[in-house]
Amino acid sequence: MAAEIAEQPAAWRDLLTARAACTEVGDVIASRAPRFVQFVARGTSDHAALYAKYLVEIGLQIPAGMVSPSAVTVYGARPDLRDVLLIAVSQSGGSPDLVKSVEVGREQGALTLAITNNESSPLSDAAELHVDVRAGVEKSVAATKSYTSELLALYLVIAAWRGIDTSAADSLPDLGDHVLLASDALAEAAQKYRYAQRLLTTGRGYSYPTAREAALKLMETSYLTAQAFSGADLLHGPLATVDPQVPVLAVVPAGRGGDAMVPVIERLVERGADIFGVGAASSIAGLTGGVAIPDAPEELSPLLEIIPFQQMALHLSIARGEDPDTPRGLRKVTETL
């Protein structure tokens, strides 16, 4: 897991050199002019899909939603998907319920796109279009480099669909190298939280998927209960569960999403919460602890934000005497039906 976390900037560099494939797919989508976008995914890839949902709704102002695969695979639903773009996101491309969802979507008139870390898979075969995120073999069960490569691939495809320049992404690998240098600080934070049994993660906008992915990484590597909430939802009830014994991991980058977290942080401080932040230096200055990340365009910040949380999950698992590479009861490919 440590090696694969460190490989992320190199994986991004590789994908950026091959962005023409993403551009080609984006151009095809633009020519078809879909009126709605549906995403289907599981686990970590579900968080990548949620990130792309924000890209579509904000950048293209087209409605987007997340598919419930069981509607098709368990209940036999066959919705009318004419003029719909169905995007399936999966590291392995091997989950039967995702494959079935794409097959049915294509039969029902959708333009289908598979985003995978596997050039040849049942999912890529089922879809009309395919993008390989080129992250390379990932041995750790806990996905890291495949997740951020999915984010970058989705950004490049959607940017091409929008017809906008993607040169802003060129600085990401160097910024990622910089973020990786905070590993020692994360190891220290992990020692502090090693006895925690429950924690919360929170963020807004493009950073909400980061909060969800951070919670998943902590659960699957350290076996603690981690709940993710958007900053807005946190104030609608779950705030009552916060006290000084429940750490809160907050994503507060530069941009509108980070600005929207200001009143959330204020309420958490009122509750006496132990808040560990990842984001803009100015935003984490008054928190219990945190890691500053370099400023980047808000829609690209999630690639940088997640790295400190991946590192924390790694160090926390080791501090608790666990093996982050082989979480108990889990396999690399989860074949949900």
Side-chain angles (χ1 to χ4, degrees), residues 102-124:
V102 168
E103 289 174 343
V104 170
R106 194 167 179 178
E107 291 168 1
Q108 296 302 108
L111 172 62
T112 53
L113 165 63
I115 305 284
T116 74
N117 191 35
N118 185 348
E119 188 174 7
S120 179
S121 69
L123 189 64
S124 59

Side-chain angles (χ1 to χ4, degrees), residues 129-148:
L129 304 171
H130 174 242
V131 169
D132 177 9
V133 305
R134 301 168 62 96
V137 176
E138 196 171 49
K139 296 180 180 179
S140 173
V141 169
T144 52
K145 64 178 181 176
S146 61
Y147 172 67
T148 54

Side-chain angles (χ1 to χ4, degrees), residues 201-203 207-216 228-229 249 251 306 309:
T201 66
T202 184
S207 297
Y208 175 44
T210 303
R212 291 184 55 170
E213 175 62 8
L216 177 59
F229 297 97
L249 308 183
V251 196
I306 191 58
F309 294 116

Side-chain angles (χ1 to χ4, degrees), residues 178-248:
H178 177 78
V179 176
L180 285 167
L181 297 177
S183 183
D184 290 344
L186 272 301
E188 183 177 337
Q191 288 297 325
K192 177 181 178 181
Y193 297 129
R194 64 181 298 189
Y195 296 112
Q197 295 303 310
R198 183 168 67 92
L199 56 78
L200 302 181
T201 66
T202 184
R204 290 203 69 178
Y206 293 110
S207 297
Y208 175 44
T210 303
R212 291 184 55 170
E213 175 62 8
L216 177 59
K217 284 292 156 284
L218 290 162
M219 285 189 286
E220 66 184 348
T221 60
S222 297
Y223 318 139
L224 51 73
T225 300
Q227 293 177 283
F229 297 97
S230 80
D233 285 333
L234 182 60
L235 300 183
H236 284 266
L239 183 68
T241 69
V242 176
D243 60 39
Q245 282 69 52
V246 180
V248 178

